[in-house]
Amino acid sequence: MASCDLDGTRFHRKYRAVPLRKEDAKAISAVYREVWLNASEYPKEWRERRAISEEEIKKEMDAGYFFFGVHIDGKLAGVYKASLTERGCYGEHQAVLPEYREQGVAYAMYEQFLEFGRANQCRVNYVNILAGNKPCERAMKQYHFYKTGELWEQSPGMWVQTYERKVDDGG
């Protein structure tokens, strides 16, 4: 069981997120296709853009994006990508296969995301969350992220809230 010490709070997780490589691009793409094409709470065109191909993933890796994932019994169960920006560490494109939801996979990725920001000496970690997405909002609260700015329309009809968490002060 993995453990992680964040801001004096000890988390014990069954799973651990690890860096993914180009060799994992096919598995990453499979997760994205299964999750995003069926994510009916998002507009259709957004879902289709998020179901990226193996080739697109490799291009994103070459462009400086980092992909991380959780494996369960040798299968990629969840994935997200991160980038280092002037603002800080930006996390996006998180996906967990339906059969692995509510088992701590997403939390393992959030914990790794926070450690990635700290390891890269970022000022903040930040994400955009679909307005009303209760599981993501719970994670934001648990990991001491706070809302920044107002709701904004990321895609026609899709309202999101940006959340951030300062890396150096523990949130």
Side-chain angles (χ1 to χ4, degrees):
M1 180 168 307
S3 68
C4 186
D5 189 355
L6 296 170
D7 316 319
T9 303
R10 200 98 175 131
F11 294 99
H12 297 280
R13 294 282 173 224
K14 186 174 181 179
Y15 305 114
R16 183 170 174 261
V18 297
L20 300 174
R21 303 178 319 268
K22 285 185 180 178
E23 295 80 21
D24 300 305
K26 184 176 182 177
I28 295 167
S29 178
V31 170
Y32 281 152
R33 278 192 319 273
E34 183 172 341
V35 171
W36 285 100
L37 291 177
N38 294 303
S40 60
E41 64 273 24
Y42 294 87
K44 184 176 189 282
E45 66 279 354
W46 180 260
R47 292 182 287 159
E48 290 171 351
R49 283 196 316 262
R50 301 308 264 182
I52 60 178
S53 70
E54 183 177 351
E55 295 74 28
E56 289 172 295
I57 290 162
K58 289 177 182 178
K59 284 180 187 175
E60 288 192 352
M61 288 178 172
D62 287 340
Y65 287 95
F66 301 87
F67 287 79
F68 300 93
V70 173
H71 291 90
I72 299 175
D73 298 328
K75 181 178 181 180
L76 187 60
V79 66
Y80 85 95
K81 73 179 181 181
S83 56
L84 301 173
T85 70
E86 285 186 22
R87 181 175 176 182
C89 183
Y90 176 56
E92 63 177 321
H93 216 156
Q94 187 182 64
V96 177
L97 291 173
E99 63 266 32
Y100 298 109
R101 291 183 185 153
E102 298 184 24
Q103 296 181 34
V105 173
Y107 286 117
M109 290 189 283
Y110 278 115
E111 289 169 13
Q112 190 278 333
F113 173 57
L114 295 173
E115 288 301 321
F116 184 68
R118 183 174 290 133
N120 284 282
Q121 300 175 332
C122 293
R123 190 175 58 81
V124 298
N125 285 83
Y126 66 104
V127 297
N128 296 319
I129 302 295
L130 183 67
N133 184 316
K134 297 301 180 201
C136 288
E137 289 172 353
R138 279 194 302 275
M140 295 297 94
K141 183 176 181 179
Q142 177 164 345
Y143 291 106
H144 308 289
F145 281 75
Y146 50 88
K147 293 179 182 181
T148 59
E150 300 297 321
L151 283 174
W152 57 283
E153 197 171 21
Q154 190 170 21
S155 183
M158 189 176 96
W159 292 87
V160 298
Q161 176 68 58
T162 302
Y163 286 82
E164 75 176 33
R165 179 185 190 272
K166 290 186 178 4
V167 171
D168 61 352
D169 73 357

